[in-house]
């Protein structure tokens, strides 16, 4: 069975790499675009349910645009789907990422000026220093404290999960404005400059589980069928979950028992990325 999340074809158009493998009216390499709004939903179908989100500056390879929706795939993790055509624009070369939970983009290089928009952690911008601010190529200014030079390569990426503590739970969410369990894991792993697929089942298949009885440590991933969390240490789990409806810290043993009884069943295992 074809997994649509990594299948770059929709019956009308297909990526050139699929020539001879699928039927399509048109084959194309597509064109690179990037998200030009703070957050946009990547959907399973035009105006359909949200699968995940793209953040400002993240790249998207558009294969087809039709009736206000663009079909293609996210270049960060290869996830295919549809997003609103108005939410992508011509790309630039990002130089910095937002290093705080969220930041304001000001109209002037002055914190008392009007704020044009808010960007979440991980948003990508092209910017150059202008006094105490960075001026962005898209227009507007961001405080220097809120940007770091690319690439992301944080020594303790789990600290990003701790920074997002209290973020509301949102199915398919990928930002400080709303996030789900696998979105939190991907955000944390990308902060440490590690590849990570988007969804829980993909993440579970991506890493080998630790042998039973092997001690766990900070940064290990605990998996259930349909859920994942991050170990802060050998006794505490941080996870975006629908029980708390936010990113929360929970005793690991308590989470294992509660989830087994009321949600996803027994713990499947622990992986070390």
């Amino acid at each position: 069975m074809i997994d649509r999340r990594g299948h770059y074809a929709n019956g009308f158009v297909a990526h050139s790499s699929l020539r001879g493998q699928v039927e399509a009216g048109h084959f194309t390499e597509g064109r690179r675009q990037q998200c030009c709004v703070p957050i946009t939903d990547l959907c399973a179908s035009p105006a359909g349910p949200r699968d995940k989100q793209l953040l400002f500056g993240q790249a998207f390879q558009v294969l087809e645009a039709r009736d206000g929706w663009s079909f293609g795939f996210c270049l960060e993790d290869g996830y295919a789907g549809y997003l609103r055509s108005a939410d992508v624009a011509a790309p630039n070369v990002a130089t910095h990422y937002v290093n705080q939970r969220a930041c304001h983009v000001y109209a002037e290089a002055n914190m008392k000026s009007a704020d044009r928009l808010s960007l979440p952690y991980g948003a990508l911008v092209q910017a150059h220093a202008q006094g105490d601010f960075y001026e962005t190529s898209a227009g507007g200014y961001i405080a220097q404290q809120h940007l770091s030079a690319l690439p992301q390569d944080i020594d303790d990426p789990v600290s990003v999960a701790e920074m997002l503590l209290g973020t509301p739970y949102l199915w398919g969410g990928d930002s400080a404005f709303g996030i789900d369990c696998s979105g939190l894991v991907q955000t944390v792993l990308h902060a440490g400059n590690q590849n990570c697929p988007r969804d829980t089942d993909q993440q579970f298949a991506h890493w080998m589980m630790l042998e039973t009885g092997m001690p766990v440590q900070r940064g290990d991933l605990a998996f259930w069928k349909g859920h994942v969390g991050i170990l802060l240490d050998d006794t505490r789990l941080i996870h975006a979950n629908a029980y708390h409806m936010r990113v929360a810290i929970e005793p690991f043993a308590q989470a294992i028992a509660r989830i087994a009884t009321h949600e996803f069943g027994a713990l499947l295992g622990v992986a070390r990325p």
Side-chain angles (χ1 to χ4, degrees):
M1 183 176 178
I2 294 174
D3 186 341
R4 63 174 175 80
R5 298 171 297 182
H7 187 58
Y8 307 149
N10 65 0
F12 297 102
V13 66
H15 190 259
S16 298
S17 62
L18 296 177
R19 193 182 297 273
Q21 302 177 47
V22 300
E23 293 186 4
H26 179 59
F27 290 87
T28 179
E29 287 293 318
R31 69 186 189 281
R32 180 175 177 141
Q33 299 276 272
Q34 69 181 37
C35 179
C36 61
V37 295
I39 309 168
T40 190
D41 290 344
L42 186 67
C43 302
S45 58
R50 177 197 312 112
D51 275 336
K52 59 163 281 179
Q53 295 178 317
L54 271 74
L55 310 183
F56 188 94
Q58 289 186 330
F60 188 74
Q61 193 77 3
V62 174
L63 301 180
E64 177 195 48
R66 180 194 299 261
D67 300 325
W69 289 85
S70 290
F71 172 73
F73 55 95
C74 176
L75 289 173
E76 184 176 60
D77 58 16
Y79 210 111
Y82 296 81
L83 48 70
R84 294 185 185 277
S85 297
D87 291 349
V88 292
N92 57 36
V93 178
T95 57
H96 294 77
Y97 69 95
V98 175
N99 61 21
Q100 301 296 310
R101 183 187 181 99
C103 77
H104 295 294
V105 181
Y106 295 98
E108 302 173 15
N110 184 333
M111 69 178 183
K112 295 183 180 180
S113 66
D115 56 309
R116 289 183 168 179
L117 71 163
S118 296
L119 296 180
Y121 176 86
L124 306 175
V125 298
Q126 184 183 75
H128 65 274
Q130 185 84 355
D132 294 333
F133 286 78
Y134 281 102
E135 183 177 5
T136 72
S137 61
Y141 298 81
I142 298 174
Q144 284 201 15
Q145 298 93 323
H146 292 171
L147 293 181
S148 291
L150 287 167
Q152 292 191 64
D153 193 9
I154 296 174
D155 291 338
D156 179 23
V158 179
S159 65
V160 173
E162 294 172 315
M163 179 178 67
L164 294 173
L165 187 65
T167 297
Y169 180 84
L170 179 68
W171 178 271
D174 282 285
S175 83
F177 305 130
I179 201 164
D180 67 9
C181 64
S182 55
L184 180 66
V185 167
Q186 188 184 60
T187 297
V188 166
L189 270 292
H190 283 175
N193 199 25
Q194 295 187 62
N195 291 327
C196 178
R198 172 55 178 82
D199 291 343
T200 304
D201 63 323
Q202 297 171 319
Q203 294 170 357
F204 180 74
H206 192 70
W207 289 289
M208 294 286 293
M209 296 298 109
L210 299 179
E211 294 182 7
T212 302
M214 186 172 177
V216 298
Q217 65 185 37
R218 184 176 178 84
D220 287 350
L221 305 179
F223 284 96
W224 291 262
K225 186 175 178 58
H227 187 60
V228 62
I230 305 165
L231 273 299
L232 292 178
D233 49 42
D234 61 353
T235 64
R236 296 179 301 152
L237 181 79
I238 186 167
H239 56 151
N241 65 92
Y243 177 77
H244 297 96
M245 283 304 292
R246 65 182 188 276
V247 176
I249 295 173
E250 192 171 4
F252 189 30
Q254 175 182 299
I256 292 173
R258 178 183 61 75
I259 292 171
T261 302
H262 301 292
E263 295 182 278
F264 301 101
L267 180 72
L268 296 179
V270 175
R272 182 162 298 157

